[in-house]
Amino acid sequence: DAGVTQSPTHLIKTRGQQVTLRCSPKSGHDTVSWYQQALGQGPQFIFQYYEEEERQRGNFPDRFSGHQFPNYSSELNVNALLLGDSALYLCASSLRQNEQYFGPGTRLTVT
Amino acid sequence: AQSVSQHNHHVILSEAASLELGCNYSYGGTVNLFWYVQYPGQHLQLLLKYFSGDPLVKGIKGFEAEFIKSKFSFNLRKPSVQWSDTAEYFCAVNAPWDNDMRFGAGTRLTVKP
């Protein structure tokens, strides 16, 4: 049974560019949450998707957007990248609002 | 909104020592509480959780945590640590109806053999 998978593992982008990160939830899960983890900090909630809709959003600007597909996988898009967007981006999946299972993360570096 | 404070940034212990990591949260209502662990090079994993009921919660690998509502605390304990417990530990909280789970900054635990 595959757990949560994320791609790519690492990514280097330039300021102003756009990036798309991908997440496949654990088998049987229907809810995907995205988190940003800056160096030395705990994860910060970006948003959660359920039934292909954004159910809740944290304190992140509109440059951060997402999507959930019918197979429950999800994408996180960040436009107009800033240096401060450099972080580990974590995806977590759950069955509705139960325990969240985290993926390994995508390390984004913005130069 | 909720926030979480973890008192210790880095804790260094010898094997067999007892462990207590502090966690305090700021939220006056009903909360769900979690401790996650991140071993070197691995994913965040759930150690234990509290939703309701017995305030002393037992988790995996011999860890336990006690919810003290009057102190807004959820400290993590283990009577005897092992070298393999070396990891980063995160406390997290959310309200039952709120999907925004708030994490503390984490405590790095180093266990010396």
Side-chain angles (χ1 to χ4, degrees):
Chain A
D1 174 26
V4 179
T5 59
Q6 292 185 243
S7 63
T9 306
H10 295 90
L11 205 49
I12 300 175
K13 290 285 190 177
T14 304
R15 272 179 301 178
Q17 285 189 316
Q18 178 263 344
V19 69
T20 298
L21 310 182
R22 294 176 177 81
C23 172
S24 290
K26 183 176 167 64
S27 178
H29 287 183
D30 58 6
T31 301
V32 173
S33 302
W34 286 92
Y35 293 82
Q36 181 195 67
Q37 187 177 13
L39 205 59
Q41 300 296 319
Q44 270 194 288
F45 176 75
I46 302 175
F47 41 54
Q48 184 180 88
Y49 277 84
Y50 172 67
E51 292 189 338
E52 301 180 50
E53 290 192 0
E54 183 183 291
R55 177 153 68 180
Q56 188 170 348
R57 188 179 187 90
N59 189 24
F60 279 80
D62 291 346
R63 297 187 297 108
F64 289 77
S65 63
H67 190 76
Q68 185 179 35
F69 299 93
N71 67 353
Y72 307 117
S73 68
S74 176
E75 288 181 351
L76 163 66
N77 301 292
V78 186
N79 294 323
L81 283 166
L82 304 173
L83 294 179
D85 295 332
S86 295
L88 180 68
Y89 288 85
L90 297 169
C91 169
S93 74
S94 60
L95 179 61
R96 296 182 185 83
Q97 290 175 288
N98 290 315
E99 174 186 336
Q100 294 190 15
Y101 289 76
F102 283 82
T106 294
R107 172 74 61 189
L108 172 65
T109 301
V110 182
T111 63
Chain B
Q2 309 96 300
S3 66
V4 180
S5 303
Q6 291 186 242
H7 315 300
N8 311 101
H9 182 63
H10 188 193
V11 172
I12 303 173
L13 295 172
S14 297
E15 273 193 315
S18 65
L19 169 72
E20 180 159 4
L21 301 183
C23 173
N24 284 90
Y25 64 93
S26 63
Y27 185 69
T30 303
V31 290
N32 297 329
L33 296 154
F34 307 83
W35 274 98
Y36 282 86
V37 62
Q38 189 167 31
Y39 298 104
Q42 295 190 26
H43 313 183
L44 271 172
Q45 299 173 40
L46 183 68
L47 264 182
L48 48 79
K49 61 189 176 187
Y50 172 82
F51 287 173
S52 64
D54 188 345
L56 186 60
V57 180
K58 294 195 184 300
I60 61 172
K61 303 186 182 188
F63 286 91
E64 65 178 30
E66 185 175 12
F67 170 49
I68 303 179
K69 189 173 181 180
S70 61
K71 294 184 178 180
F72 298 90
S73 70
F74 190 56
N75 292 355
L76 181 71
R77 300 194 293 244
K78 185 170 184 179
S80 176
V81 294
Q82 302 171 320
W83 176 79
S84 58
D85 293 324
T86 294
E88 185 107 25
Y89 292 81
F90 294 93
C91 180
V93 60
N94 74 333
W97 56 87
D98 189 356
N99 303 302
D100 182 351
M101 189 155 61
R102 301 296 175 98
F103 283 79
T107 297
R108 184 154 62 100
L109 173 65
T110 300
V111 180
K112 297 188 291 185

